[in-house]
Amino acid sequence: AESLALAHAAREMGADAILLECVPAPLAARITQAVQAPVIGIGAGADTDGQVLVVHDMLGMVTGRKPRFVKDFLAESGSIKGAIEAYVAAVRDRSFPAEEHTFKA
């Protein structure tokens, strides 16, 4: 409830979009439905209005502990161009983020 109130407050203060990072998917979906602004997710499930993933994460250039929401699209495609195309396709068909790329509370 607090996160939903914060999202509404941000919108009322003039936010044109809201970014949700590492928010449980059910809450992210509720916020997306309730707020009259585009909601972009990173690790917040597939039910937001859009997705963002840092290009280094998309290309598997992660050092140290890999965040749960990261997927190495380069490993599956074999080229940077292919990785970006695969990411775009996966976001459009809502296969990314999958359950394994979504934050758990």
Side-chain angles (χ1 to χ4, degrees):
E2 183 178 334
S3 297
L4 185 54
L6 288 171
H8 279 295
R11 180 66 182 129
E12 288 170 15
M13 290 187 296
D16 291 322
I18 296 173
L19 175 66
L20 301 178
E21 183 172 353
C22 294
V23 172
L27 177 57
R30 283 184 42 219
I31 291 170
T32 301
Q33 290 298 315
V35 177
Q36 295 299 311
V39 177
I40 307 301
I42 182 166
D47 292 324
T48 56
D49 295 312
Q51 299 294 324
V52 65
L53 186 60
V54 175
V55 73
H56 291 82
D57 293 341
M58 185 189 316
L59 300 177
M61 300 168 62
V62 179
T63 58
R65 188 175 135 317
K66 181 178 102 173
R68 179 182 181 89
F69 54 80
V70 169
K71 179 176 178 181
D72 182 353
F73 285 88
L74 181 62
E76 296 177 5
S77 65
S79 73
I80 292 172
K81 182 177 187 277
I84 293 169
E85 289 170 345
Y87 169 75
V88 169
V91 169
R92 284 187 175 152
D93 72 16
R94 296 192 177 264
S95 62
F96 180 83
E99 183 70 24
E100 66 267 20
H101 306 113
T102 303
F103 178 74
K104 302 288 185 213

